[in-house]
Each structure stands twice: as structure tokens, then as C-alpha cells.
Amino acid sequence: MGKFKIKDALTLRAGNNFRLADVDPSSTPGFSGDKDDLKSRFEHFDDELYDLQEKLFATARAGGDSNNDGEADTPAPSLLVVLQGMDTSGKGGAIRHVLNLFDPQGTSTVGFGKPTEEELEHDFLWRIRKHDPEPGQIVAFDRSHYEDVLIQRVHEWVDEPEVERRFGAIRGYERELAARNVHIIKVFFHISRDFQKKNLLKRIEREDKHWKYDPGDIDERKLWDDYMAAYEDAIRRTDEDYAPWYVIPTDNKKYARMALKFLILNGLRNLDLSWPGRDFDPEVERARLEESD
């Protein structure tokens, strides 16, 4: 009971024939335990995750040679985690609970809100590219380049030819990242409409959550079905092995955070990281250290 595994997280992969209606937002695929089981499983791999992130960062600092062969034909790997979801789906909370395990110098979070006037003067990917992961980094996008297809499309601020162009630009951008050894994990946090209503009501009624509330969230909520159709289409069109989409049921936020954590663990494991080789003689350096007193 409750033994959620890596393979369970991987079953959340969407694929090109994905149907959002097939995913129950209140379900917890692969997990059948109680709250204590969930907490225990969430923390189970923390030591390994911290170790992998440190190896990732060290690999880049040492020049990109993660295989100890003395050569670095490609940049050191990095990891990009893209989080999308409707308002109140818990993207920010998931980032805090999962990434706070890691060394801050090797991780960063970027939130993409409404474009500024300067950003609107450029192509939609201009503001995104400025935050591409550097070698050895784990970067999380709280919303992302997909916003400029989803919102624009739902509100009909762009026509379908422009939507097609943007999908093509996104696929090209993600191929480019993958060619630079950026490993991409894209996650859609799927909540139910009822669950969002409860979350919005908390923001309206609770003083400690007023700062999160935006009256515009209710206007967007009225377009729920349009957003679901737009998300489904975007996921279908851009799910690739080099940039896979995972759809996580998120009415149970603790489950969603665990699933995200396991996807990141799987991504780091797949990098086959090892400690960079040394370029000094330990005996010589030990002797020099003794002589320094």
C-alpha cells in the first residue's frame, strides 16, 4: 500500500493521442495509501535527489565531463521543468515543496506573467530564451512559453495561422534546447472545476490568501471548457520524447507534488551522472597542505 514508484509517475505520460477527459483530477494513479504513506514516500528519495543535483552542478563546474573521460564534447546537462495548469492548480506550491530540497545555487524558478510592453515588442519566445537553463542547472518555469498559445487562442487574440506558427516555434525551441543537452519535463497540473472553486473561495474569504486573489481569475474560469480544449490540443501537438508531457491529477496536491518529484528523480537518474574526475594528485596536495602550517 502506498508504494508509489518511478514507473507509476511515468504512466502519467500524455502522448499524441491524449484525451483530457480520460484523466480524473481527483484520482491518484499508482498510489493507494493514506496520508502517512504519502508523506513517507514523498521523502523517501531525498538523499538521492540531493546527491544527484550536486553531481549535476559539479559536472558543469568541472567543465562538463560527467563520464570522467577527460573530454566534454557536449555541454554539461541541465534540467528544465515546465509547469502549466489552471489558476489555483498549485504550481508555485509544488515548486517550493520539491525544489527546496536542492542547493539554491544550482536551481532557479521563473514565473511568466502578463508580458510587459517591452516583451510585446518581440516574438513571444524572446522573454523565454533569456531564462534558458545553464549547464548544470535545474530551472522550473511557473507557466511558460505555452501561455502565449493557450491564452491568446482561447481569447481569440491571434488567428489560427499564428497559432500554427507558434506551435512550430515551440517545437523548434524545444528541439534546440534538447540539442544543447537540456532535458525537458513538461507537466500539466490537472484540477477539477469544483476544486478550483473551493480554492478561489479560500482566496476570497481568507485574509492570508487575499494577496493571491485576482478578480480576473473568475473571468478566466468562465472559459474553462475552452481552456481544457486548448490544453489538450497543445499537449497532443508538442509531446515528444525529447520534451514529454505528463498530466498529473492534482485535486490531491500532495499526490501531485510527489508525482512531480518522482519525474524529476527519473530525469536526473537518466543523466547517468558521476562525480567529475580530479586533476590533481591527492598525495601531493596532502603534503602541501601539511607544509602550509
Side-chain angles (χ1 to χ4, degrees), residues 40-58:
S40 174
R41 202 61 182 158
F42 179 79
E43 298 173 348
H44 187 74
F45 295 103
D46 282 4
D47 289 343
E48 181 184 357
L49 275 162
Y50 182 83
D51 184 67
L52 287 169
Q53 189 252 339
E54 192 172 11
K55 284 179 179 176
L56 177 65
F57 185 72

Side-chain angles (χ1 to χ4, degrees), residues 39 90 102 109 128 151 178 212 234 278:
K39 182 178 185 298
F102 299 136
T109 300
I128 308 295
I151 294 176
K212 290 185 176 183
R278 65 177 186 266

